[in-house]
């Protein structure tokens, strides 16, 4: 009887682990997408394409390279009825902000109120520092399952 209980416990644990991991990983649109574009100092421009925002988790961003600076201004944009709106939050205070600053080579959680405002799609927009253009490359995701540096100003 003792062996049967141990075997049953093992089977139950395996089932819980398999279903638990599968449910967690596939709960969000967390597949990384490549980004490569030029950002300008004149104003924020879309650096990513639109993607489904499936939950209230932060957006994920890793800026792999910048052509002139070590950091760049970033906005989390929510899209509803083909209109984009800035819903960027300061990652430490939770207060809406104009933008956050991300440093190249660092992984970020970009907090937003996109899903809370009824938007089903998201994108990231960027503005360079100074008076010149900035070539940007990296990866991003509209939803995240990990914990990274909170993006702030």
């Amino acid at each position: 009887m003792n062996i049967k209980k141990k075997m049953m416990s093992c089977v139950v644990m395996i089932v819980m682990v398999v279903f638990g991991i599968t449910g967690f990983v596939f709960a969000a649109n967390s597949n990384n997408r490549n980004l490569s574009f030029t950002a300008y100092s004149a104003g924020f421009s879309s650096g990513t394409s639109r993607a489904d925002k499936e939950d209230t988790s932060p957006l994920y961003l890793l800026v792999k390279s910048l052509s002139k600076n070590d950091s760049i201004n970033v906005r989390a944009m929510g899209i509803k009825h083909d209109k984009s709106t800035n819903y960027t939050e300061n990652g430490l205070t939770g207060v809406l902000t104009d933008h956050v600053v991300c440093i190249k080579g660092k992984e970020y959680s970009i907090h937003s109120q996109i899903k809370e405002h009824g938007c089903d799609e998201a994108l990231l927009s960027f503005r360079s520092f100074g008076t010149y253009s900035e070539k940007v490359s990296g990866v991003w995701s509209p939803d995240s399952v990990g914990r990274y540096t909170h993006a702030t100003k």
Side-chain angles (χ1 to χ4, degrees):
M1 186 81 164
N2 197 11
I3 293 175
K4 283 184 179 181
K5 283 183 179 181
K6 285 182 182 180
M7 296 265 303
M8 184 57 96
S9 294
C10 278
V11 169
V12 169
M13 282 180 40
I14 290 169
V15 168
M16 288 173 56
V17 168
V18 168
F19 282 110
I21 290 173
T22 304
F24 183 71
V25 171
F26 294 111
N29 190 3
S30 59
N31 294 327
N32 288 344
R33 295 150 175 79
N34 291 322
L35 58 88
S36 181
F37 62 93
T38 300
Y40 300 94
S41 61
F44 282 87
S45 57
S46 296
T48 66
S49 57
R50 300 158 65 143
D52 291 340
K53 180 84 174 120
E54 296 181 3
D55 61 30
T56 59
S57 67
L59 289 81
Y60 167 79
L61 175 65
L62 168 60
V63 175
K64 291 183 178 179
S65 69
L66 295 169
S67 59
K68 297 191 171 91
N69 291 300
D70 290 330
S71 59
I72 192 159
N73 300 305
V74 183
R75 281 183 176 170
M77 307 295 289
I79 302 168
K80 188 175 184 180
H81 307 300
D82 284 329
K83 181 182 178 222
S84 62
T85 304
N86 179 15
Y87 289 118
T88 309
E89 273 185 10
N90 179 311
L92 295 178
T93 65
V95 175
L96 286 174
T97 186
D98 180 64
H99 66 278
V100 292
V101 177
C102 295
I103 298 168
K104 72 179 173 185
K106 205 170 193 180
E107 293 179 292
Y108 284 96
S109 290
I110 300 179
H111 296 266
S112 73
Q113 295 179 11
I114 292 172
K115 200 67 177 168
E116 293 85 343
H117 281 88
C119 300
D120 292 325
E121 293 181 297
L123 61 82
L124 292 174
S125 64
F126 298 80
R127 184 183 71 209
S128 67
F129 287 100
T131 58
Y132 39 76
S133 61
E134 182 86 66
K135 291 184 180 177
V136 182
S137 69
V139 294
W140 82 287
S141 177
D143 297 309
S144 62
V145 293
R147 294 183 188 264
Y148 308 99
T149 301
H150 298 294
T152 62
K153 267 190 169 177

